[in-house]
């Protein structure tokens, strides 16, 4: 069945393989264990949020507020933990905040029928401004709870904890999209909302769930980011939403809904982060970290179009 | 199996053909779309191009339009050998194709659309709007078409947009005009207007290619008819050499004994759908009727009578203002398809692409959509059970598809429709509402769809059929209700219904 990875991932796999070979020829340290772990750690945050974003795009919606929400969530989580001295309460507050943002986006889109591109840009603006009303500067780690630091920097069985969390979320998301009625309905709603509604599906509720899930995943990512930076940074997460969406689209998920896989998204994240890593270890100008992915996205999308045109008919 | 050379048109000795296509071949990966096809058009004649879906008509006209390149054969226009590489090429050679999907810019005025490719330019390179409007008006006068050149194109009904497309052909001094299923969304009076325009075109010496499924229209307007089947040229004859049966025979390669098979008697069960006092803001006014298990209840109406609005209201898709709808005695919550489906009413929409199919998704996902809960446990889809259920419907309905994983967009209209009917049967319904069930479906598949609907009624479903096709209405319905202006204006038992009575009630 075409919902899993199939031949559609060939282009991306090829690009990934080429990148790995090229970078390792130029810089042999690419394949060291430490560097591989570093790449995976870089992937984790993006993959966590991209899992939710894939669901949204499959349902023909999008959320541009994830970057702004990511920063705000980190501030909220750190602040509440500081005030209460309880990591549990801090975590719950962060998840409640980010989940609330997701729910808000979902309600605006499904109830008020505002286009999700517009609605979530508006949310992004509110959050970017709102975070400065909440705190003028970075919320420092005053509680020094060890488990909080572990969240970003710790290891279990040789793997960084963020990577393990991302892997669990990815697997859960993959199972949900691929094997459950919920996943199948998301594809249906994205592919043809009217047909889905005529078939008795609750299209609006499904979309709401996808928005909420994306929000909660932003909460998880926000906590990890705050742990890594050992602070809640209001300026963190600028441009994060574009990296996430770029990875999802690179993975072959259609902006018009109904098509896409999480395996593709995983490959998309890997490609972007291997490029980042390559630029760093080759000591290229860091500004190329934005330029090269831009070129790759156009290239990959075009190659995929060529491939599909050949497959059609 | 090469086409019989004896069936090919004899070389026209008199006037040079407007267009001469010989030995046209076109392959797509894995498919031979056209093989050794001939088409010769005489100036000033209407040439019908017929065949089932998948016969190669669309490929052929796309080659004429310069959308596809041909792989083999030659094209002569006005006796001169030529190549049509792009749509611009075709237009420059005087060949204009009016596709089913209108290719006009809705936000522009009618006049702007007509001169889109070649705005007349005044001094200093500015566009001469006054001249554009004047020339557009002159063109309309030539084809006897009354519309304001300054009107916004998107505001016009489809029928008038079609006329704008035809006027565009004239603006390009087209000598050949191809019309692809031009009447598929026209009312009878609009069809009459279109035919008048076609006659004017032929009087100007323009060759017209008329692509249609509708036999009656072809017999009325065409001078000659070419039939394609499976990408091959089957016959080209003057229309006088054909009757209905021979034309159908050429198209499908066999005779259809009875287009409207009836397998059941007049047994009717209990009332399963009752609608009373139904009004909507948009259209419907005080509609009331009942449908019984085991019957086909046909609704007839001209365009704008309110059939589609009624269909969408009674399945809970559209909101209503007043009235009640009950399925099997239990009230349906208006504007809520979920309770509708769970009570057992479902709609087969007239708009297959817009409201039925998930084009990019496989046959399997398309068919099981409404019934997926039956194949799931604790929220997980049991794909084995799903697949075998889908497979059994594919076999039972003889859906032609290479596999269940095939994206449904690659199936013919008839096979798509079978999948959508199966979507509902899998779910299990008491009432199926079918809106224009054979729109855009070719003759062979039509009779299969009719047989299917008939069998559903025989199995105890109430089939509520909305149609604008008189033969379909009379052939399939047990009872007929006629709508006009959002109301039910008349009702007939099958035996008492005649075309005249129905039309009278429909005109209201």
């Amino acid at each position: 069945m075409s919902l899993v990875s199939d031949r559609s991932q060939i282009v991306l796999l090829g690009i990934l393989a080429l990148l790995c070979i090229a970078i390792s020829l130029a810089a042999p340290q690419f394949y060291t264990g430490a560097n591989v772990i570093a790449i995976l750690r870089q992937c984790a945050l993006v993959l966590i949020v991209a899992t939710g974003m894939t669901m949204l795009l499959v349902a023909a919606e999008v959320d541009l507020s994830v970057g702004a929400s990511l920063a705000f969530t980190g501030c909220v989580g750190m602040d509440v933990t500081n005030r209460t001295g309880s990591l549990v309460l801090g975590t719950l507050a962060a998840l409640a905040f980010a989940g609330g943002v997701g729910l808000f986006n979902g309600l605006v889109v499904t109830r008020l029928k505002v286009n999700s591109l517009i609605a979530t840009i508006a949310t992004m603006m509110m959050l970017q401004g709102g975070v400065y009303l909440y705190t003028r500067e970075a919320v420092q780690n005053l509680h020094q709870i060890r488990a909080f630091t572990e969240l970003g920097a710790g290891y279990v069985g040789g793997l960084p904890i963020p990577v393990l969390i991302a892997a669990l979320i990815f697997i859960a998301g993959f199972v949900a999209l691929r094997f459950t009625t919920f996943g199948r309905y998301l594809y249906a709603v994205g592919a043809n909302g009217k047909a889905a509604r005529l078939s008795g599906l609750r299209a609006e509720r499904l979309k709401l769930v996808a928005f909420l899930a994306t929000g909660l995943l932003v909460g998880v990512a926000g906590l990890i980011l705050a742990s890594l930076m050992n602070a809640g940074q209001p300026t963190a997460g600028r441009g994060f939403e574009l990296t996430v969406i770029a990875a999802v689209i690179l993975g072959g998920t259609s902006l018009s809904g109904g098509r896409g896989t999480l395996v593709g998204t995983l490959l998309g994240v890997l490609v972007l982060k291997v490029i980042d890593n390559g630029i760093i270890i080759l000591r290229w100008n860091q500004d190329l970290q934005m330029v090269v992915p831009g070129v790759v996205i156009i290239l990959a999308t075009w190659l995929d179009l060529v491939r599909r045109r050949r497959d059609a008919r | 199996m090469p086409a019989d050379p004896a069936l090919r048109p004899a070389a026209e000795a008199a006037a040079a053909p407007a267009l001469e296509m010989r030995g046209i071949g076109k392959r797509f990966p894995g498919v031979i779309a056209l093989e050794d096809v001939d088409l010769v058009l005489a100036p000033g004649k209407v040439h019908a191009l017929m065949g089932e879906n998948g016969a190669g008509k669309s490929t052929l006209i796309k080659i004429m339009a310069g959308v596809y390149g041909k792989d083999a054969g030659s094209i002569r226009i006005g006796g001169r050998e030529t190549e049509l590489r792009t749509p611009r090429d075709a237009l420059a050679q005087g060949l204009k194709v009016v596709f089913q999907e209108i290719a006009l810019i809705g936000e522009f005025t009618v006049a702007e659309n007509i001169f889109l490719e070649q705005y007349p330019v005044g001094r200093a390179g500015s566009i001469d709007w006054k001249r554009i409007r004047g020339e557009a008006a002159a063109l309309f006068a030539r084809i006897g078409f009354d519309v304001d050149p300054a009107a916004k194109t998107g505001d016009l009904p489809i029928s008038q947009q079609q006329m704008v497309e035809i006027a565009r052909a004239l603006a390009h001094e087209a000598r050949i005009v191809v019309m692809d299923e031009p009447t598929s969304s026209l009312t009878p009076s609009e069809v009459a207007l279109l035919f008048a325009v076609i006659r004017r075109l032929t009087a100007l010496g323009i060759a017209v290619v008329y692509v249609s499924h509708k036999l009656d229209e072809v017999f009325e307007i065409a001078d000659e008819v070419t039939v394609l089947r499976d990408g091959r040229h089957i016959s080209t004859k003057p229309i006088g050499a054909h009757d209905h049966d021979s034309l159908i025979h050429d198209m499908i390669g066999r005779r259809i004994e009875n287009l409207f098979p009836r397998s059941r008697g007049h047994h009717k069960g209990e009332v399963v759908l009752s609608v009373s006092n139904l009004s909507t803001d948009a259209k419907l006014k005080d509609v009331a009727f009942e449908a019984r298990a085991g019957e086909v209840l046909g609704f007839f109406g001209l365009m704008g009578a309110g059939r589609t609005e009624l269909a969408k209201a009674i399945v809970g898709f559209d909101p209503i203002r007043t009235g009640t709808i009950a399925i099997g005695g239990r009230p349906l919550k208006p504007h809520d398809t979920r309770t509708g489906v769970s009570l057992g009413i479902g709609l087969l929409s007239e708009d297959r692409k817009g409201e039925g199919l998930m084009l990019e998704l496989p046959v399997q996902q398309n068919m099981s959509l409404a019934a997926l809960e039956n194949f799931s446990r604790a929220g997980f889809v049991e794909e084995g059970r799903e697949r075998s259920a889908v497979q059994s419907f594919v076999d039972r309905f003889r859906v032609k598809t290479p596999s269940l994983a095939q994206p449904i967009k690659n199936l013919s209209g008839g096979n798509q429709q079978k999948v959508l009917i199966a979507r509902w049967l899998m779910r299990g319904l008491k009432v199926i509402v079918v809106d224009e069930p054979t729109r855009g479906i070719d003759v062979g598949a039509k009779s299969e769809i009719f047989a299917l609907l008939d069998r559903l009624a025989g199995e105890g479903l109430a089939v509520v059929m909305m149609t604008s096709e008189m033969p379909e209405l009379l052939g399939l319905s047990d009872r007929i209700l006629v709508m006009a202006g959002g109301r039910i204006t008349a009702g007939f038992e099958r035996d008492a219904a005649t075309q005249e009575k129905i039309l009278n009630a429909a005109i209201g």
Side-chain angles (χ1 to χ4, degrees):
Chain A
M1 281 209 333
S2 67
L3 295 190
V4 230
S5 78
D6 48 29
R7 298 200 297 138
S8 64
Q9 253 79 58
I10 281 180
V11 169
L12 214 49
L13 269 174
I15 289 176
L16 186 59
L18 270 177
L19 279 171
C20 289
I21 292 167
I23 296 171
S24 58
L25 285 179
Q29 70 270 34
F30 179 74
Y31 273 128
T32 58
N35 193 48
V36 170
I37 295 277
I39 293 175
L40 290 180
R41 191 200 288 278
Q42 290 290 314
C43 288
L45 283 187
V46 178
L47 183 61
I48 289 169
V49 178
T51 301
M53 192 69 79
T54 305
M55 292 184 183
L56 274 179
L57 285 192
V58 160
E61 300 294 349
V62 70
D63 185 350
L64 286 170
S65 70
V66 294
S69 180
L70 184 79
F72 208 145
T73 304
C75 295
V76 169
M78 190 66 93
D79 187 38
V80 173
T81 314
N82 280 342
R83 284 167 197 261
T84 61
S86 158
L87 185 57
V88 175
L89 287 179
T91 304
L92 286 178
L95 291 179
F97 177 82
V101 170
L103 199 62
F104 174 78
N105 284 331
L107 287 172
V108 169
V109 170
T110 59
R111 292 287 156 82
L112 306 186
K113 312 281 178 205
V114 177
N115 175 294
S116 63
L117 196 69
I118 297 166
T120 60
I121 286 178
T123 306
M124 177 180 82
M125 293 167 73
M126 289 191 276
L127 291 172
Q128 280 178 352
V131 75
Y132 288 110
L133 296 177
Y134 182 71
T135 173
R136 300 263 7 139
E137 51 211 27
V139 184
Q140 298 301 332
N141 182 347
L142 304 175
H143 53 75
Q144 297 298 341
I145 298 173
R146 204 168 149 262
F148 184 78
T149 315
E150 288 286 299
L151 181 65
Y155 286 80
V156 171
L159 282 175
I161 288 176
V163 172
L164 290 172
I165 294 175
L168 288 177
I169 286 171
F170 173 80
I171 290 168
F174 176 79
V175 168
L177 263 187
R178 175 69 183 78
F179 296 111
T180 66
T181 51
F182 167 73
R184 292 278 292 269
Y185 289 159
L186 274 187
Y187 282 95
V189 166
N192 189 337
K194 284 185 179 171
R197 203 153 84 69
L198 275 173
S199 299
L201 271 52
R202 282 178 289 211
E204 307 298 303
R205 187 177 300 185
L206 287 159
K207 288 185 172 183
L208 194 61
V209 171
F211 272 109
L212 177 62
T214 304
L216 288 172
L217 294 176
V218 170
V220 174
L223 282 166
I224 294 174
L225 184 64
S227 164
L228 283 170
M229 297 193 304
N230 203 28
Q233 275 282 6
T235 52
R238 282 278 156 88
F240 180 73
E241 63 280 342
L242 294 182
T243 308
V244 170
I245 292 172
V248 175
I249 289 175
L250 195 54
T253 297
S254 158
L255 265 178
S256 50
R259 209 175 58 230
T261 66
L262 269 176
V263 174
T265 296
L266 175 63
L267 290 174
V269 174
L270 283 171
V271 166
L272 289 185
K273 288 304 170 186
V274 165
I275 292 173
D276 271 4
N277 183 262
I279 288 170
I280 291 168
I281 64 174
L282 294 176
R283 296 173 199 282
W284 286 6
N285 188 332
Q286 300 258 325
D287 293 328
L288 287 169
Q289 283 188 350
M290 293 294 278
V291 178
V292 176
V295 174
V296 170
I297 287 170
I298 291 178
L299 194 71
T301 313
W302 173 68
L303 284 174
D304 191 50
L305 266 180
V306 170
R307 182 194 60 76
R308 265 193 285 136
R309 218 175 285 152
R310 205 170 297 153
D311 279 4
R313 289 188 261 276
Chain B
M1 182 186 75
D4 184 349
L7 292 176
R8 292 196 183 169
E12 304 259 344
L19 173 77
E20 192 174 356
M21 299 174 88
R22 293 282 181 195
I24 300 295
K26 176 73 186 172
R27 290 162 185 274
F28 296 112
V31 191
I32 298 172
L34 288 176
E35 189 171 7
D36 199 17
V37 167
D38 293 354
L39 183 69
V40 181
L41 305 179
K45 299 279 190 217
V46 178
H47 196 116
L49 181 61
M50 301 196 74
E52 295 196 278
N53 285 336
K57 293 170 306 197
S58 323
T59 309
L60 189 62
I61 61 177
K62 280 186 179 154
I63 288 173
M64 294 164 100
V67 176
Y68 292 159
K70 60 182 166 48
D71 295 337
S74 65
I75 300 175
R76 287 166 173 276
I77 290 180
R80 222 160 36 88
E81 178 125 14
T82 185
E83 293 288 334
L84 305 171
R85 287 193 189 84
T86 63
R88 230 188 157 79
D89 261 5
L91 215 49
Q93 310 248 22
L95 206 162
K96 167 78 184 168
V97 179
V98 180
F99 283 107
Q100 228 172 323
E101 268 111 46
I102 305 268
L104 295 172
I105 301 175
E107 290 295 319
F108 282 17
T109 67
V110 168
E112 282 176 88
N113 265 300
I114 289 176
F115 294 100
L116 205 52
E117 287 94 346
Q118 41 174 33
Y119 285 132
V121 175
R123 264 180 306 165
S126 64
I127 295 172
D128 189 346
W129 295 113
K130 218 166 160 185
R131 205 171 118 210
I132 287 181
R133 276 197 281 279
E135 286 190 15
L139 276 175
F140 289 158
R142 259 167 87 198
I143 56 173
F145 169 43
D146 180 29
V147 72
D148 177 8
K152 198 173 110 185
T153 309
D155 293 342
L156 300 178
I158 297 288
S159 59
Q160 298 205 356
Q161 294 192 22
Q162 231 167 30
M163 299 294 173
V164 175
E165 280 271 65
I166 294 168
R168 233 173 131 191
L170 288 180
H172 288 284
E173 285 163 15
R175 303 304 300 157
I176 303 153
V177 174
V178 181
M179 298 184 191
D180 182 17
E181 301 268 356
T183 60
S184 58
S185 46
L186 302 192
T187 64
S189 61
E190 288 168 341
V191 171
L193 182 62
L194 176 72
F195 282 5
V197 169
I198 290 177
R199 292 197 179 97
R200 291 219 185 191
L201 294 180
T202 53
L204 295 168
I206 292 171
V208 175
V209 178
Y210 190 88
V211 182
S212 177
H213 288 304
K214 296 184 182 169
L215 298 181
D216 296 334
E217 290 175 2
V218 168
F219 278 104
E220 186 179 340
I221 193 76
D223 300 301
E224 285 181 305
V225 52
T226 287
V227 178
L228 303 182
R229 192 200 313 148
D230 297 333
R232 293 191 173 83
H233 180 271
I234 299 301
S235 65
T236 296
K237 294 177 189 169
I239 194 71
H242 270 301
D243 57 22
H244 268 77
D245 286 353
S246 70
L247 197 48
I248 290 178
H249 181 262
D250 279 0
M251 284 164 65
I252 65 176
R254 62 191 153 90
R255 271 175 207 285
I256 293 182
E257 295 307 327
N258 185 356
L259 192 54
F260 302 103
R262 281 182 76 85
S263 59
R264 65 212 153 82
H266 284 278
H267 174 78
K268 286 185 198 171
E270 62 194 83
V271 172
V272 287
L273 168 67
S274 74
V275 172
S276 61
N277 192 24
L278 176 65
S279 299
T280 63
D281 290 335
K283 188 76 159 199
L284 304 177
K285 296 184 192 80
D286 203 17
V287 173
F289 68 94
E290 288 181 339
R292 291 172 178 278
E295 75 169 344
V296 177
L297 175 61
F299 273 87
F300 181 82
L302 303 178
M303 197 165 246
R307 282 167 293 138
T308 296
E309 289 82 355
L310 179 61
K312 285 192 173 162
I314 61 179
V315 300
F317 189 79
D318 280 350
I320 65 173
R321 190 170 56 202
T322 61
T324 57
I325 302 153
I327 317 295
R330 293 166 60 196
L332 174 118
K333 198 169 137 207
H335 201 194
D336 178 2
T337 48
R338 192 171 176 80
T339 64
V341 170
S342 63
L343 289 175
I345 187 167
L347 172 67
L348 185 71
S349 169
E350 47 142 13
D351 183 1
R352 239 189 342 269
K353 278 192 183 138
E355 298 175 350
L357 301 169
M358 302 181 288
L359 286 170
E360 304 284 339
L361 296 191
V363 169
Q364 178 166 330
Q365 266 86 333
N366 269 283
M367 193 188 284
S368 65
L369 180 63
L372 204 57
E373 276 160 40
N374 302 352
F375 308 112
S376 69
R377 190 177 299 162
F380 282 81
V381 181
E382 296 184 329
E383 264 179 52
R385 284 206 295 141
E386 180 199 1
R387 195 175 313 118
S388 61
V390 170
Q391 186 65 52
S392 78
F393 271 100
V394 164
D395 296 341
R396 227 177 97 197
F397 290 178
R398 283 180 291 168
V399 179
K400 280 184 212 144
T401 176
S403 82
L404 302 187
Q406 184 75 3
I408 199 156
K409 66 177 176 189
N410 297 343
L411 268 57
S412 72
N415 285 304
Q416 289 174 345
Q417 196 73 321
K418 289 184 197 170
V419 170
L420 293 182
I421 293 175
R423 177 188 286 176
W424 284 126
L425 297 190
M426 234 178 205
R427 181 65 171 74
L429 287 182
K430 293 192 180 77
V431 185
I432 186 166
V433 183
V434 297
D435 193 1
E436 301 287 359
T438 62
R439 174 171 288 175
I441 289 176
D442 50 61
V443 189
K446 253 184 196 176
S447 76
E448 285 187 82
I449 300 286
F450 293 144
L452 206 54
L453 293 176
D454 183 70
R455 206 164 79 202
L456 295 186
E459 288 168 9
L461 253 77
V463 178
V464 177
M465 177 175 70
M466 312 294 178
T467 180
S468 58
E469 304 275 329
M470 191 64 86
E472 187 169 302
L473 179 82
L474 291 168
L476 212 59
S477 311
D478 296 305
R479 222 149 43 87
I480 292 169
L481 295 175
V482 184
M483 294 186 75
R487 294 173 193 280
I488 294 177
T489 51
F492 304 96
E493 287 299 319
R494 171 192 184 80
D495 300 328
T498 66
Q499 204 152 327
E500 291 71 33
K501 284 192 212 168
I502 291 170
L503 266 178
N504 268 331
I507 291 160

